[in-house]
Amino acid sequence: MTKSLDRETLARVAPRLAELSQDLLFNDIWKREALSPRERSLVTLGALTALGRVQQLPWHIRFAQQNGLTREEIVEAFTHLAFYAGWPAAVSAFECLEEE
């Protein structure tokens, strides 16, 4: 699996994208009150899993845990996704969880 870019590396490679990610995504979307950060993390893990974006999963798994999701809840979410996103997608997500 190719390692995902962290914020510092992204800022060096694509400074404008890093700026937009921080300003629009993390300082605006993630802070809107309609969903809690915990709920947003759960939705994000589901979307990344369903779309097969496993390079982004390790970072978002750690972020989800910071936002209050337990390992047990993440395991349950990936198990649930096996039936909606597909077995291979869920297994790939679990491989990212094992790295943690």
Side-chain angles (χ1 to χ4, degrees), residues 1-85:
M1 172 174 48
T2 305
K3 185 178 178 187
S4 65
L5 298 176
D6 59 23
R7 287 182 186 185
E8 293 77 29
T9 305
L10 182 60
R12 283 195 308 273
V13 173
R16 182 65 178 141
L17 180 59
E19 181 184 342
L20 288 168
S21 295
Q22 186 61 46
D23 293 347
L24 182 59
L25 180 58
F26 290 104
N27 290 341
D28 182 3
I29 300 299
W30 273 87
K31 294 187 179 192
R32 294 172 62 154
E33 294 182 12
L35 295 174
S36 70
R38 183 182 184 286
E39 292 165 329
R40 289 184 191 281
S41 281
L42 193 56
V43 170
T44 301
L45 292 177
L48 293 174
T49 298
L51 295 171
R53 305 302 196 257
V54 295
Q55 294 87 354
Q56 298 291 313
L57 275 173
W59 188 90
H60 277 284
I61 289 169
R62 289 189 301 275
F63 193 49
Q65 290 170 327
Q66 291 173 13
N67 287 333
L69 284 170
T70 66
R71 182 180 177 86
E72 180 181 7
E73 290 170 323
I74 294 169
V75 167
E76 187 63 26
F78 290 161
T79 300
H80 188 77
L81 283 164
F83 294 91
Y84 291 92

